[in-house]
Amino acid sequence: MSIECARVGGINLAQGVCDLPVPGPVLDGAKQGMDQGRNIYTRFDGLHPLRRAIADKVRRDSGMDVDPEGQIVVSAGATGAFYCACLALLDPGDEVVVFEPYYGYHVVTMRALGIRPVFVPLAQPDWTFTASDLENAVTDRTRALILNTPANPCGKVFTRSELELIADFAESHDLFVFTDEIYEHFLYDGREHVAPATLPGMARRTIAISGFSKVFAITGWRLGYAVCDPEWALPIGHFNDLVYVCAPAPLQMGAAAGLNELGPDYYASVAREHQKKRDLFCAVLCEIGLTPHVPQGAYYTLADISSLPGDTAKARAMHLLETTGVACVPGNAFYEGSQGEHLARFCFAKKMDVLKQACDNLRRLNRG
């Protein structure tokens, strides 16, 4: 869709790129890293200043004490950390429980490694699930569950009670829980992010994955990390060395500076700014008859595009692009079956003037 959007010179609300300015401390830290000679390979699990800063962040945000020398692996983005975790801890033929709608990279990564995703659909409109839904997905090959909270693409923020249900399920079947928490600071309407690893019994079985692409608006820097028990961190680090060698050294210094110098006000402003964008964009979707699922977190909304011409989500998304110049992702990209054919995902993490222009363009549907 990004390629098609460029073809027509449209506004790209398909790709999940945050248009916030990169914070000054992050840029300055990277430049200082270069000036100070941080331009060669790092240790396989990342530079100590960044691992130390991540450990401090985890303690501040969740109260957990993690050892920067043995429980943190810095990798080439959150997707890189997830790939290395799968390589280290899962085998071909293993099965992993995946909530649906899902983030495509999770599923594609596992399938590339011969790992079978088993889907648990979240029930609309509130994206709910039951203990029975989880139990029905288990076989003797089940080894893990993957949890994305706040979730891409539906914006669900899993509650503490839901996470407790997942924790009980994981413990009863002795499963790893891979968590993708990269949108943890994009929370709306007073919601809180509960780190699954903080729940009783979950610290050892949780592989917590996050990164800096979204909150520091540095998607192109490719910086992410995994936090987990030392027994799992070592093999994850070995595969990180094998596949990526290391994440970019001076850019690690930039991320460390951001973690150390940006306080709670920065993260609160990120959430506040994106809630305004969410409210504006969802109001326009309602106005033009593309009813949105208003997200609780992250910076996407799934909208009902069944009123648009076409028999598939892709055809409807292409009609929208050709008619309004606004690109979205067809909803079937997030489902194994046909459940997503009436949906499309829009990313509203754009500069306000760009988002307002997209809204004006979308109103052409009513004028047409």
Side-chain angles (χ1 to χ4, degrees), residues 12-270:
N12 190 353
L13 303 189
Q15 196 169 13
V17 175
C18 182
D19 281 352
L20 285 172
V22 180
V26 176
L27 294 173
D28 293 343
K31 183 178 184 303
Q32 290 170 13
M34 295 176 196
D35 292 342
Q36 294 168 3
R38 303 273 194 173
N39 301 303
I40 61 174
Y41 298 135
T42 76
R43 214 172 85 167
F44 70 93
D45 54 356
L47 289 169
H48 177 78
L50 180 52
R51 287 183 281 108
R52 175 76 266 170
I54 293 169
D56 291 342
K57 174 214 175 299
V58 171
R59 185 180 301 108
R60 282 195 309 269
D61 291 352
S62 69
M64 289 182 59
D65 285 321
V66 296
D67 181 3
E69 292 302 312
Q71 290 186 256
I72 296 171
V73 179
V74 176
S75 188
T79 52
F82 178 66
Y83 181 53
C84 293
C86 289
L87 282 168
L89 303 178
L90 301 174
D91 292 320
D94 286 349
E95 296 180 356
V96 175
V97 176
V98 181
F99 287 109
E100 193 178 43
Y102 52 75
Y103 174 52
Y105 271 81
H106 294 154
V107 169
V108 171
T109 295
M110 289 188 290
R111 283 184 166 147
L113 296 174
I115 300 160
R116 179 173 177 261
V118 178
F119 300 102
V120 172
L122 295 170
Q124 300 178 38
D126 298 322
W127 310 112
T128 56
F129 67 98
T130 66
S132 296
D133 294 332
L134 295 176
E135 293 295 338
N136 290 339
V138 173
T139 74
D140 59 1
R141 300 294 301 175
T142 307
R143 296 292 179 267
L145 175 146
I146 183 162
L147 177 66
N148 182 199
T149 183
N152 173 10
C154 66
K156 178 179 177 61
V157 176
F158 286 76
T159 65
R160 183 176 295 274
S161 61
E162 289 174 325
L163 295 176
E164 288 171 348
L165 191 155
I166 291 168
D168 290 343
F169 169 73
E171 185 169 3
S172 66
H173 295 283
D174 193 23
L175 306 179
F176 285 113
V177 176
F178 296 90
T179 69
D180 183 340
E181 303 174 54
I182 199 165
Y183 297 102
E184 62 185 299
H185 296 293
F186 295 84
L187 297 165
Y188 311 130
D189 306 314
R191 289 181 173 84
E192 66 166 342
H193 173 71
V194 179
T198 62
L199 273 62
M202 287 294 286
R204 177 161 168 75
R205 67 178 67 254
T206 300
I207 315 299
I209 294 168
S210 192
F212 309 104
S213 291
K214 314 301 184 180
V215 76
F216 291 161
I218 50 173
T219 53
W221 286 24
R222 309 313 306 134
L223 289 174
Y225 59 89
V227 179
C228 56
D229 186 274
E231 184 174 354
W232 320 132
L234 186 60
I236 291 171
H238 286 166
F239 277 103
N240 187 58
D241 180 40
L242 176 67
V243 177
Y244 301 109
V245 180
C246 64
L251 305 187
Q252 291 188 49
M253 296 302 295
L259 288 177
N260 290 332
E261 298 180 35
L262 296 171
D265 288 347
Y266 172 77
Y267 300 102
S269 70
V270 167

